[in-house]
Amino acid sequence: MRTQRQVVDYSLQKRAVLRELLAGRVGTYDVCDASPYLKNAARFHGEPTEERCPICRSENLTHVHYIYGDELKQSAGQARNLAELPVLAMTLREFQVFVVEVCLGCDWNHLVEQFLLGRDGLAEDGPEQGAAGVNAPGAGPAHGRRREAQR
Ligand SMILES: [Zn+2]
């Protein structure tokens, strides 16, 4: 997404958990603990992936996108469909997205990444601001033409 910024990737932490599991230092019971809320969010708002679950290897993982931020008001902390995020990103200045992977087969779940979205991320794009200036009242070609005609 265009305004995506401050991305934090959690794949190292995920690999560490899987290593602990392989070594027998944690049990599948400890890591396959998706709550009913998370599983519902995965069913209704989840984004299917092609990635196999690292634990049961029988289901594909589902990504759930949670949104947080003051501007969201009562929507903060809700799961949203991936398709809704670009729309929100054009409406709001800034909000945080947390992506969680869930396996609906064995309840494995882990944070994938977090990032910021929102219009504040467009500030670095000069061209759009410039274009708005050209269309300002009184400026631009139309004004010039009118002066030509008066001469
Ligand atoms: Zn699984």
Side-chain angles (χ1 to χ4, degrees):
M1 264 161 278
R2 232 175 111 220
T3 68
Q4 186 174 353
R5 56 202 185 270
Q6 293 185 33
V7 182
V8 183
D9 179 24
Y10 288 95
S11 53
L12 281 178
Q13 286 85 339
K14 176 182 161 181
R15 252 176 281 163
V17 170
L18 294 176
R19 255 200 318 272
E20 292 287 290
L21 195 68
L22 273 175
R25 284 191 285 270
V26 295
T28 50
Y29 193 77
D30 299 309
V31 293
C32 298
D33 59 352
S35 72
Y37 300 105
L38 179 55
K39 285 161 74 180
N40 268 338
R43 275 189 203 103
F44 296 112
H45 304 286
E47 193 68 22
T49 72
E50 296 294 309
E51 199 183 338
R52 281 275 154 177
C53 170
I55 311 297
C56 68
R57 299 194 184 278
S58 63
E59 300 267 341
N60 282 355
L61 296 170
T62 304
H63 282 178
V64 183
H65 298 79
Y66 284 103
I67 52 170
Y68 289 89
D70 293 341
E71 290 173 85
L72 293 163
K73 308 253 164 36
Q74 72 276 5
S75 303
Q78 289 182 356
R80 286 301 171 100
N81 294 333
L82 185 59
E84 292 179 82
L85 296 184
V87 181
L88 281 170
M90 287 301 116
T91 320
L92 301 169
R93 288 182 55 228
E94 184 173 292
F95 61 101
Q96 186 91 44
V97 182
F98 289 87
V99 186
V100 179
E101 65 177 37
V102 191
C103 171
L104 290 170
C106 71
D107 292 359
W108 155 259
N109 61 103
H110 199 275
L111 192 56
V112 176
E113 61 175 355
Q114 72 177 71
F115 51 85
L116 287 179
L117 286 181
R119 284 186 287 117
D120 273 6
L122 297 173
E124 295 135 43
D125 296 3
E128 280 200 3
Q129 307 250 333
V134 170
N135 293 327
H143 191 69
R145 263 202 304 278
R146 213 176 307 134
R147 272 217 307 242
E148 284 300 305
Q150 275 168 5
R151 228 183 270 161

